C-alpha cells in the first residue's frame, strides 16, 4: 500500500511539473511572437516611401499629352498621391492613390473618377527604393510596380500580355 501511495504521489508531482512546463512554455511563446512598441516603430520607420514624395512629370508620355504624379506623406503609415493626364489643358484622366499600412500590411489603394469604389492592391514586395503590389481579382492591372533609379522614378502597370511603362522625373 505504501509503495502504491509513493507511486501515486510521484505521478502527481510529474503531472504537476508537466502541466506547469507546458503553461510556462506557451506563455513564453506568446510573448516572443509579439513585437514590442519599439520594434513596431522601427519597422514603420524602415519601411517608408519618402523617395516618392514630391511632384513628378512623365517623360515617356504620348505626344500632345502630359502626365503628372504628386505624392505627400500624411504620417508614417499613410502616403497620398494624385495622378492625372492632360491634353490641351483638359484633364483626360485622374486617379487618387494611397499607400497605407494597417496591421503590419502595406496596401496601395487606387480610385479613378470612373470607379465608385477604390481598388486595393496588396504589397507583395517592399524594398527601400521599390515596391510591387498585386490584385489578381481584377482584369487590369493585376500588378503595379514602382522603383527609384537615380533621380527618376519608374513604374509599370501590367496584367495579361499588356505592360505599360512609366518614367517620371522630378519637377523643378
Amino acid at each position: 500500500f505504501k509503495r502504491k501511495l509513493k507511486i501515486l504521489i510521484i505521478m502527481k508531482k510529474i503531472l504537476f511539473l508537466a502541466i506547469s512546463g507546458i503553461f510556462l512554455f506557451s506563455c513564453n511563446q506568446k510573448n516572443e511572437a509579439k513585437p514590442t512598441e519599439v520594434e513596431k516603430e522601427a519597422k514603420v520607420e524602415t519601411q517608408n516611401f519618402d523617395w516618392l514624395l514630391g511632384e513628378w512629370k512623365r517623360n515617356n508620355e504620348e505626344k500632345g499629352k502630359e502626365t503628372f504624379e504628386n505624392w505627400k506623406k500624411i504620417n508614417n503609415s499613410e502616403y497620398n498621391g494624385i495622378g492625372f493626364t492632360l491634353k490641351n489643358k483638359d484633364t483626360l484622366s485622374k486617379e487618387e492613390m494611397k499607400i497605407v499600412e494597417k496591421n503590419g500590411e502595406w496596401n496601395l489603394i487606387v480610385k479613378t473618377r470612373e470607379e465608385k469604389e477604390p481598388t486595393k492592391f496588396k504589397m507583395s514586395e517592399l524594398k527601400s527604393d521599390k515596391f510591387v503590389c498585386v490584385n489578381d481579382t481584377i482584369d487590369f492591372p493585376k500588378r503595379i510596380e514602382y522603383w527609384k533609379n537615380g533621380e527618376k522614378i519608374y513604374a509599370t502597370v501590367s496584367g495579361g500580355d499588356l505592360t505599360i511603362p512609366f518614367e517620371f522625373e522630378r519637377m523643378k
Side-chain angles (χ1 to χ4, degrees):
F1 177 74
K2 284 184 182 182
R3 185 172 180 191
K4 286 184 181 182
L5 184 59
K6 280 184 182 182
I7 291 173
L8 185 59
I9 291 171
I10 291 171
M11 288 177 60
K12 282 185 179 180
K13 286 181 181 180
I14 292 172
L15 183 60
F16 174 77
L17 290 172
I19 291 172
S20 298
I22 291 170
F23 177 76
L24 289 172
F25 179 77
S26 66
C27 287
N28 284 342
Q29 290 295 90
K30 288 178 186 173
N31 287 338
E32 288 173 15
K34 292 181 184 175
T36 66
E37 291 302 316
V38 172
E39 289 171 332
K40 284 181 189 174
E41 191 63 31
K43 185 177 179 184
V44 169
E45 287 178 14
T46 59
Q47 294 180 341
N48 73 61
F49 302 86
D50 290 357
W51 52 272
L52 263 181
L53 300 178
E55 297 177 350
W56 302 87
K57 182 176 180 180
R58 185 176 179 189
N59 291 338
N60 62 338
E61 184 56 271
E62 294 175 22
K63 189 172 182 164
K65 293 182 182 178
E66 293 181 291
T67 297
F68 303 90
E69 279 194 12
N70 300 329
W71 287 92
K72 294 181 181 177
K73 183 175 186 174
I74 305 305
N75 55 47
N76 282 345
S77 60
E78 184 176 347
Y79 293 76
N80 288 350
I82 185 167
F84 56 96
T85 300
L86 304 175
K87 184 174 184 177
N88 299 325
K89 298 187 181 185
D90 289 330
T91 304
L92 296 179
S93 66
K94 178 183 170 188
E95 60 186 17
E96 297 171 7
M97 301 167 283
K98 287 184 179 199
I99 299 173
V100 180
E101 183 268 334
K102 188 173 182 182
N103 298 326
E105 279 191 11
W106 286 95
N107 293 288
L108 173 65
I109 301 167
V110 180
K111 183 176 183 322
T112 64
R113 289 192 299 190
E114 298 81 28
E115 296 174 317
K116 290 182 181 179
E117 295 295 321
T119 303
K120 183 176 173 181
F121 294 84
K122 183 177 180 179
M123 204 153 295
S124 63
E125 183 180 339
L126 176 57
K127 296 182 179 177
S128 63
D129 59 354
K130 175 185 179 177
F131 65 89
V132 178
C133 299
V134 295
N135 182 335
D136 290 328
T137 66
I138 59 174
D139 291 334
F140 188 86
K142 292 185 177 292
R143 178 182 169 103
I144 299 175
E145 182 175 352
Y146 274 81
W147 68 97
K148 184 176 183 190
N149 188 356
E151 295 301 310
K152 293 184 180 180
I153 289 181
Y154 297 86
T156 59
V157 293
S158 58
D161 294 334
L162 180 60
T163 298
I164 302 171
F166 295 83
E167 179 183 307
F168 294 96
E169 67 182 3
R170 190 177 300 278
M171 293 178 58
K172 299 182 182 350

